[in-house]
């Protein structure tokens, strides 16, 4: 009988045999690959490779360390963790995918400001220190009708700051039906508690009248708070006091009314499947003393929390210590200013969020058919089907946007989606009825070719 082959090394032996970083730096097969790299990057890649192999071995995968592990680690280090993806989910304001894409004008403004110095807090006319909010206040006053404005890091920050500045240690009267959670476990009662305000709940979950607020007002009342239910709908046997009713009550009792509007529509939105949404300007016209809203939802700009309203109340908000902690940076100011200019110029359709939400079904159908043709040219069958998209980002919860998609019948849909995400440009789709669905609403013409290429690669990789 011939000599028996050597048995494969066991886990412990492979773990003990993992090379050191110094050994790998001197390995002849790796020297040409590492020679032209910065030493720190080479060391980081080698450490990553060794740690990955160690984790692999501990998990029971007994493949030994190979030069290919270093190549994979180098590729990982060369790929940014935050990078562009292609949104084929049909959700326009997808929070996990960065919400609103910026208009080209906003992107150009950010690049111009980011690459050098700027007059962020310098008054060019006076030659002295200025306000970082100056580029935005005029636009926000014009677009909303408010007396003054300030911008902070997001709408949750705007709500926290407003409550802390105007009602810390005092009572805030809120309907039970508006004690919402805005995502990530972040709840209105928690925000109030952190601000130092005292929550006073009125009415019931489904019905709250003006009289409920009136009965709760007293000498310790700091604010009447109305929260727009932007991320869920209350239907059926319901009743609520309108903002105009509450502002009338507030005026009669000398209590300011604060509207947390959330989604931040500056202009009325109309399009297939969209539902009515209150605008910031309407809230001001209805008498709200202070209004807070998001910059990266229906407004279509960068992440920001905008506060507009009465000048005297905004001055109190601006002078609160939290304002500095929540302030925005120069890139946010630049992107938001450029976005607001599009509204000022009567060009809301130039804001990507606006155009994505108001697309006509015929346009989407033609786009889906082009994607199906590109897939067919690569040997992939994509069935065009009608689907419903979503606004996303906690806005217009009842809206169902008629759209079209290419659906793919594959053996393992989840594995297929994993492969699409692993591409050079990750494609994010979804699964419905055991099929991979690629909604075309948020795809550009350039995206179509990249999606088709990614799908063909994923299908090839999934074949045995």
């Amino acid at each position: 009988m011939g000599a028996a082959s050597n048995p494969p090394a066991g886990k412990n032996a492979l773990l003990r045999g993992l090379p050191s970083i110094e050994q790998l730096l001197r390995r002849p097969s790796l020297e040409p690959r590492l020679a032209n790299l910065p030493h720190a990057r080479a060391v980081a890649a080698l450490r990553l490779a060794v740690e990955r192999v160690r984790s692999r071995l501990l998990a029971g995968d007994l493949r030994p360390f190979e030069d290919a592990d270093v190549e994979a680690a180098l590729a990982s280090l060369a790929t940014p963790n935050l990078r562009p993806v292609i949104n084929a989910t049909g959700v326009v304001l997808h929070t996990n995918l960065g919400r609103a894409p910026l208009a080209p004008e906003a992107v150009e403004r950010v690049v111009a400001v980011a690459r050098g110095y700027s007059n962020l807090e310098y008054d060019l006319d006076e030659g002295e220190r200025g306000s970082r909010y100056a580029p935005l206040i005029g636009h926000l006053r014009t677009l909303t009708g408010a007396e003054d404005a300030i911008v902070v890091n997001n709408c949750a920050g705007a709500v926290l700051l407003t409550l802390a500045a105007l009602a810390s240690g005092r009572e805030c009267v809120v309907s039970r039906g508006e004690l919402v959670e805005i995502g990530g476990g972040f709840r209105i009662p928690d925000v109030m508690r952190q601000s130092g305000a005292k929550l006073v709940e009125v009415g019931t979950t489904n019905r709250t009248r003006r009289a409920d607020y009136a009965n709760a007002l007293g000498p310790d009342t700091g604010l009447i708070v109305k929260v727009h239910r932007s991320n869920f709908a209350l239907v059926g046997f319901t009743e609520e006091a309108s903002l105009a009713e509450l502002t009338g009550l507030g005026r009669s009792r000398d209590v300011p009314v604060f509207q947390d509007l959330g989604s931040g529509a500056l202009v009325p939105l109309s399009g297939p499947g969209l539902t009515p949404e209150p605008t910031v300007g309407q809230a001001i016209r209805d008498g709200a003393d202070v209004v807070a809203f998001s910059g990266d939802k229906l407004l279509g700009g960068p992440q920001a929390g905008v506060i507009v309203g009465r000048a005297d109340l905004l001055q109190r908000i601006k002078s609160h210590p939290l304002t500095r902690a929540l302030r925005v940076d120069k890139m946010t100011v630049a992107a938001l200013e450029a976005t607001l200019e599009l509204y000022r110029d009567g060009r809301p359709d130039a804001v990507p969020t606006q155009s994505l939400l108001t697309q006509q079904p015929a346009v989407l159908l033609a786009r889906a058919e082009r994607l199906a043709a590109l897939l067919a040219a690569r040997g992939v069958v994509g069935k065009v089907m009608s689907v419903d998209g979503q606004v996303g980002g906690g806005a217009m919860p009842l809206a169902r946007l008629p759209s079209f998609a290419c659906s793919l019948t594959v053996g393992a849909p989840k594995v297929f989606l994993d492969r699409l995400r692993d591409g050079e440009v990750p494609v994010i789709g979804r699964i419905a009825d055991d099929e991979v669905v690629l909604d075309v609403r948020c795809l550009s013409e350039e995206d179509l070719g990249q999606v088709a290429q990614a799908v063909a690669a994923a299908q090839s990789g999934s074949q045995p």
Side-chain angles (χ1 to χ4, degrees), residues 173 175 202 208-217 224 241 246 249:
V173 181
S175 167
V202 297
T208 306
R209 303 174 180 86
R210 180 187 183 278
D212 295 318
Y213 292 90
N215 293 335
L217 299 184
I224 297 173
L246 295 182
L249 172 62

Side-chain angles (χ1 to χ4, degrees), residues 180-229:
V180 302
E181 179 176 316
I182 59 177
F186 201 76
R187 298 175 174 179
I188 289 295
D190 297 334
V191 179
M192 288 196 174
R193 188 159 42 249
Q194 289 297 322
S195 73
K198 301 174 184 178
L199 172 63
V200 176
E201 303 177 30
V202 297
T204 62
T205 301
N206 59 322
R207 294 172 72 86
T208 306
R209 303 174 180 86
R210 180 187 183 278
D212 295 318
Y213 292 90
N215 293 335
L217 299 184
D220 292 331
T221 304
L223 285 175
I224 297 173
V225 179
K226 186 164 182 61
V227 181
H228 175 47
R229 293 187 292 268

Side-chain angles (χ1 to χ4, degrees), residues 3 10-11 15 50 64 154 194 197 213 316 363 393 430 462-463:
K11 179 194 298 187
L15 287 168
V50 171
N154 62 18
Q194 289 297 322
Y213 292 90
R316 289 169 58 186
V363 173
R430 59 188 176 87
S462 65
Q463 292 174 348

